[in-house]
């Protein structure tokens, strides 16, 4: 195996230098963390599944014209991505009350929101990712007003597309977190979707039973964590049941 230079190690992924300039290799670990790293664990097989799930979702989004950093999956745990300058803002889109929104405002989990709500968090482990407003983001120069407009417009398109995609396989997209980066091409800068989209950063509930099929199973010690990630991949049609040739694409649920 060739040894690549490690650029950055996060909680769930490692970034290595890519094979060509301007590329990185994103390696998906099985490590899981929650509550600002206070809870740590391993979800066996998570890295392999998230690599596949994120590949699938980023590819579909790219097809509808959402620019992403994703280039191609390289192997079970690695994907090739474009090197971008990560904007230090986590953008959360919510359709249904859950998690910190339910706690902050005392809204019972599962309450549909009157409309989709976007929130911003400043990416800082030391500060525990504080919630911030547009004013903080532009005043402190984390993103320009135009960057923020692009991020919001892209997030709403991602929400519309993914809500429909998941509904088609019997899953409710409750909320999710996105990260964006700046990509320069011939002096021009574009805002592109970065990081990953997987059950690590989406809340996905079964439409009929409201069963949680995401990282909340780990956060809340609900058990059957590995199975939840597998079920999402299976419904997306990307969990090979009889080997790699058995990948068919999503099975629509009526
Ligand atoms: N989320 C994430 N990373 C974070 C915080 C939140 O991916 O550092 C995701 C989380 O999985 C959920 C959504 O963003 O899908 C909203 O999370 P929330 O603010 O409710 O926080 P939590 O309850 O996860 O602490």
């Amino acid at each position: 195996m060739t040894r690549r230079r490690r650029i950055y190690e996060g909680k769930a992924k490692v970034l290595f230098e890519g094979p060509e300039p301007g590329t990185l290799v994103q390696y998906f670990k099985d490590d899981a963390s929650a509550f600002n790293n206070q809870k740590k664990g391993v979800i066996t097989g998570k890295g392999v599944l998230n690599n596949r799930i994120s590949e699938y979702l980023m590819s579909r989004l790219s097809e509808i014209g959402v620019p992403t950093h994703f280039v191609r999956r390289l192997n079970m745990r690695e994907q090739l991505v474009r090197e971008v300058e990560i904007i230090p803002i986590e953008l959360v889109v919510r359709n249904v009350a859950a998690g910190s929104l339910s706690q902050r405002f005392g809204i019972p989990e599962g309450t549909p929101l009157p409309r989709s709500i976007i929130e911003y968090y400043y990416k800082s482990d030391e500060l525990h990712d504080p919630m911030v407003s547009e004013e903080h983001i532009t005043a402190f120069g984390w993103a320009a007003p135009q960057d923020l407009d692009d991020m919001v417009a892209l997030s709403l398109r991602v929400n519309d597309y993914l809500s429909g995609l998941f509904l088609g396989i019997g899953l409710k997209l409750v909320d999710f977190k996105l990260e964006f980066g700046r990509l320069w091409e011939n002096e021009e800068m574009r805002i592109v979707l970065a990081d990953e989209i997987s059950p690590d950063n989406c809340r996905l509930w079964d439409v009929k039973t409201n069963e949680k099929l995401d990282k909340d199973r780990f956060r809340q010690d609900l058990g059957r964590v590995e199975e939840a990630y597998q079920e999402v991949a299976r419904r997306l049609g990307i969990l090979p049941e009889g080997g790699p040739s058995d990948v068919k694409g999503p099975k629509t649920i009526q």
Side-chain angles (χ1 to χ4, degrees), residues 5-124:
R5 197 161 66 90
R6 185 181 298 235
I7 307 279
Y8 173 82
E9 176 145 12
K11 285 164 252 171
K13 294 189 291 296
V14 188
L15 288 175
F16 295 97
E17 198 172 58
E20 301 127 42
T23 64
L24 296 175
V25 172
Q26 189 164 250
Y27 176 96
F28 288 74
K29 300 191 278 188
D30 285 348
D31 298 356
S33 69
F35 313 119
N36 256 289
N37 238 353
Q38 286 172 44
K39 182 181 169 90
K40 286 185 194 165
V42 169
I43 303 174
T44 308
K46 172 172 82 80
V48 175
L49 292 165
N50 281 358
N51 187 23
R52 284 225 172 215
I53 293 170
S54 196
E55 170 199 22
Y56 182 79
L57 299 176
M58 290 276 186
S59 303
R60 296 293 80 76
L61 287 167
S62 175
E63 283 165 6
I64 62 154
V66 174
T68 82
H69 74 155
F70 178 79
V71 180
R72 65 174 181 277
R73 189 167 60 83
L74 297 171
N75 55 50
M76 296 276 276
R77 286 187 184 269
E78 292 179 323
Q79 51 181 240
L80 186 68
V81 300
R82 307 285 300 271
E83 186 172 20
V84 299
E85 184 195 347
I86 289 287
I87 294 169
I89 298 298
E90 297 189 343
L91 211 145
V92 169
V93 184
R94 303 179 179 275
N95 300 308
V96 175
S100 68
L101 179 124
S102 289
Q103 281 172 13
R104 198 177 306 121
F105 301 114
I107 304 174
E109 263 211 349
T111 310
L113 298 172
R115 61 182 174 85
S116 301
I117 292 176
I118 293 189
E119 294 171 349
Y120 312 104
Y121 295 87
Y122 177 52
K123 262 168 77 76
S124 163

Side-chain angles (χ1 to χ4, degrees), residues 11 34-36 90-94 98-104 109 119 121 129 173-179 195 198-204 214-216 219-220:
K11 285 164 252 171
F35 313 119
N36 256 289
E90 297 189 343
L91 211 145
V92 169
V93 184
R94 303 179 179 275
S100 68
L101 179 124
S102 289
Q103 281 172 13
R104 198 177 306 121
E109 263 211 349
E119 294 171 349
Y121 295 87
D129 295 351
L173 181 58
V174 170
D175 58 32
F176 59 97
K177 184 263 294 182
L178 296 177
E179 292 186 28
D195 192 44
S198 73
D200 266 8
N201 42 41
C202 298
R203 285 196 168 93
L204 296 165
D214 55 54
K215 206 169 92 175
D216 271 352
R219 293 189 188 97
Q220 300 169 7

